[in-house]
Amino acid sequence: MPMRYAHPLAVFLATICLIGGLDSAIAETPTSGENSERPPNVVLLISDDQAWNDYSFMGHPDIQTPNLDQLAKESAVFRRGYVPTALCRPSLMTMLTGQYASVHGVTGNDPSPKYADRNSDLYRQRCAQLISYVERFETLPGALSRKGYLSHQSGKFWEGSYQHGGFTHGMTRGFPQPGGRHGDDGLAIGRQGIEPITEFVEMAVEEERPFFLWYAPFLPHSPHNPPERILDKYRDNHPISIAKYYAMCDWFDETCGEVLKLIDDKDLRDNTLVVYVTDNGWIQSPTSPKYAPRSKQTPYEGGIRTPILYRLPGKIRPGERTELTSSIDIFPTILAAAGAEIPDGLPGLNLLPELQSGDAIERDTIFGESFAHDIADIDNPEASLLFRWAIRGKWKLLLTYDGEANRYASTHPRTEKGPQLFDLIADPNEQHNVASDNADVVAELAKAIEQWYPVQQRKTIVSVTP
């Protein structure tokens, strides 16, 4: 189990050397010949800034998502899926490493500019240190490479170049290259077609190698600039900010259809595991291009809930799953499907046996945490800790902490200092805090949170006022 906070200061230039030096090592990984049956290809589809119910298959009355609707019909569908953090970088890092943000250390998107000017050497050194944290873990593509997989990164990616994340192929040059903050060249995928993915898949097929696709397009993320042909579907009946966002969800679905059609056209469907998740939620403001309160960055359902889909024809049973699940489970589940070794100490569950059998998942509680966008202390995640939460059955307990928010303080007003308890079945929009009527539930879930991840410095209130 990696240490939670301790990590030596990464030297800026050394990190850059590491970023450039991994490609050759990864490329030398031999093709596995141990299994007579070729392991499945893996396609991970990740939307960016999309609410959990902004799909036709999740009941949205207006947004059209025919490709994801079809995928849902063919998949095990977890309608009550979650990401542990409601911000893209820590959420994506969790998918990459299988660890919570409090463990992998990338708790926000950037070092806080409050403590180092963004044009200073100190700030760049802190950016390099954050990127170095991925070196403490075997990443998902890195683990798959030992089973002979080729892997391709496209779209959103924060942890340096694609090679630094363990991918054999990809698009992102990464920090410190120009535009390397969160994806640079990779951000063109989807918006400008999927040609790099097509070329990669054709190469993998020609070489008879299993492959892993990380498809994390900058969609429906702002800028909300959908093609007019899609915007025309929505503009007459909605405020323009809403219409543009709906069209972006539609556009993202269209690009997913292109990726899935590629898999079908290459006759790969029956041996390809497709996983769908969103990195964090978004509720569109009706009056501006921005997100509404209690959505992106926040631990409310609008920030952390997402449908999670798994499709592997003939092996994963399609249908609705009523259990809770988390993106923390994606890492071990993909490795299991690939026949790869699952590292010890992962907090997520390998769901493959239950996905195959249809049996219930034996877990009653999932957990999450929210940190500030601006990381106050990159050596100490607790400095920016704002919330922790647990969900068990219908109950969700949300605890508020006194970490520093800096630039996004208005997103996290934290006016409610005490525990917030919601009945998510009766009140999915979390309008009614029922903590005062259910002190026993608050106590049980608060204890579970503390056992999951003991906090040493930050303060919260767990007592209930009748």
Side-chain angles (χ1 to χ4, degrees):
M1 184 74 174
M3 293 184 67
R4 190 171 291 274
Y5 303 135
H7 188 269
L9 180 64
V11 178
F12 177 67
L13 292 176
T15 300
I16 306 313
C17 292
L18 281 168
I19 290 173
L22 287 177
D23 192 33
S24 59
I26 295 170
E28 293 171 359
T29 303
T31 302
S32 172
E34 297 177 358
N35 297 327
S36 59
E37 182 180 353
R38 181 173 170 175
N41 309 305
V42 180
V43 175
L44 179 56
L45 306 173
I46 309 171
S47 68
D48 190 357
D49 287 1
Q50 184 167 1
W52 64 271
N53 49 1
D54 286 346
Y55 313 79
S56 304
F57 75 90
M58 292 295 287
H60 199 283
D62 297 315
I63 297 175
Q64 299 176 27
T65 53
N67 296 293
L68 292 174
D69 296 348
Q70 184 61 37
L71 179 64
K73 291 177 182 177
E74 301 163 351
S75 301
V77 178
F78 292 88
R79 291 180 175 269
R80 297 185 69 195
Y82 289 85
V83 290
T85 48
L87 186 63
C88 56
R89 184 175 184 178
S91 183
L92 294 172
M93 183 70 161
T94 288
M95 297 178 207
L96 194 64
T97 66
Q99 300 288 350
Y100 289 106
S102 50
V103 173
H104 62 59
V106 181
T107 60
N109 279 0
D110 301 289
S112 177
K114 178 179 176 180
Y115 298 107
D117 185 273
R118 281 180 284 184
N119 294 318
S120 67
D121 287 343
L122 178 58
Y123 189 83
R124 286 188 286 272
Q125 289 168 10
R126 288 175 176 171
C127 289
Q129 181 177 344
L130 276 175
I131 287 172
S132 77
Y133 287 176
V134 74
E135 299 160 21
R136 297 184 292 178
F137 307 93
E138 182 168 56
T139 64
L140 181 55
L144 291 173
S145 71
R146 293 193 291 104
K147 292 294 292 183
Y149 278 73
L150 300 176
S151 54
H152 187 276
Q153 170 274 328
S154 67
K156 187 77 77 73
F157 194 71
W158 295 76
E159 310 313 324
S161 69
Y162 67 84
Q163 300 101 320
H164 191 232
F167 294 90
T168 62
H169 299 76
M171 299 177 67
T172 292
R173 293 170 289 113
F175 176 85
Q177 299 300 317
R181 174 175 174 260
H182 64 330
D184 54 71
D185 297 344
L187 299 181
I189 203 71
R191 291 177 186 258
Q192 298 179 25
I194 64 165
E195 184 177 356
I197 291 175
T198 301
E199 293 174 351
F200 169 77
V201 170
E202 290 175 346
M203 178 199 64
V205 170
E206 183 176 346
E207 295 186 10
E208 298 184 344
R209 298 277 294 275
F211 61 82
F212 168 53
L213 285 180
W214 170 282
Y215 181 64
F218 206 37
L219 295 167
H221 195 290
S222 61
H224 294 162
N225 55 353
E228 287 294 321
R229 61 181 174 79
I230 301 179
L231 181 58
D232 285 345
K233 299 179 186 180
Y234 303 100
R235 70 162 77 243
D236 290 342
N237 300 314
H238 304 283
I240 190 61
S241 62
I242 298 288
K244 286 183 176 181
Y245 167 70
Y246 285 5
M248 294 299 292
C249 295
D250 191 318
W251 193 14
F252 168 69
D253 177 83
E254 183 178 279
T255 73
C256 288
E258 293 173 0
V259 174
L260 295 173
K261 184 177 185 299
L262 172 64
I263 299 302
D264 288 352
D265 289 349
K266 298 298 181 183
D267 198 25
L268 300 172
R269 168 191 283 255
D270 288 345
N271 198 37
T272 298
L273 170 63
V274 178
V275 182
Y276 175 79
V277 66
T278 191
D279 63 2
N280 59 253
W282 176 280
I283 299 174
Q284 179 61 51
S285 167
T287 58
S288 80
K290 299 178 180 180
Y291 53 86
R294 297 175 67 165
S295 61
K296 182 175 180 174
Q297 296 196 39
T298 81
Y300 296 96
E301 297 291 274
I304 58 172
R305 185 170 171 182
T306 171
I308 298 180
L309 314 179
Y310 293 90
R311 185 188 80 179
L312 183 55
K315 294 185 178 179
I316 290 179
R317 291 175 178 253
E320 298 282 338
R321 303 290 305 221
T322 60
E323 305 100 317
L324 295 164
T325 193
S326 168
S327 63
I328 203 81
D329 303 324
I330 290 175
F331 188 105
T333 301
I334 287 178
L335 291 187
E341 182 179 354
I342 300 174
D344 293 336
L346 288 181
L349 298 182
N350 166 21
L351 302 181
L352 189 63
E354 290 82 3
L355 293 175
Q356 292 176 318
S357 68
D359 294 339
I361 298 167
E362 294 185 2
R363 174 179 53 195
D364 64 1
T365 309
I366 62 171
F367 300 96
E369 52 198 356
S370 289
F371 301 86
H373 176 284
D374 295 343
I375 307 172
D377 183 347
I378 58 176
D379 293 310
N380 179 11
E382 280 196 41
S384 302
L385 179 63
L386 307 180
F387 301 96
R388 294 193 298 169
W389 53 265
I391 302 176
R392 178 179 294 168
K394 68 179 184 178
W395 296 114
K396 176 180 178 181
L397 178 66
L398 179 60
L399 299 179
T400 301
Y401 292 82
D402 58 348
E404 181 178 321
N406 198 28
R407 288 182 298 168
Y408 291 88
S410 62
T411 297
H412 309 289
R414 292 181 283 179
T415 52
E416 176 57 78
K417 305 297 184 185
Q420 298 175 67
L421 183 70
F422 302 104
D423 179 342
L424 295 178
I425 303 304
D427 181 26
N429 295 317
E430 300 164 298
Q431 298 299 305
H432 307 288
N433 180 4
V434 295
S436 60
D437 297 327
N438 298 276
D440 56 337
V441 177
V442 171
E444 290 174 7
L445 290 179
K447 181 179 179 181
I449 290 172
E450 189 61 19
Q451 290 175 337
W452 161 60
Y453 157 24
V455 166
Q456 305 298 322
Q457 301 165 0
R458 299 272 64 85
K459 305 298 182 183
T460 188
I461 299 172
V462 296
S463 59
V464 174
T465 303

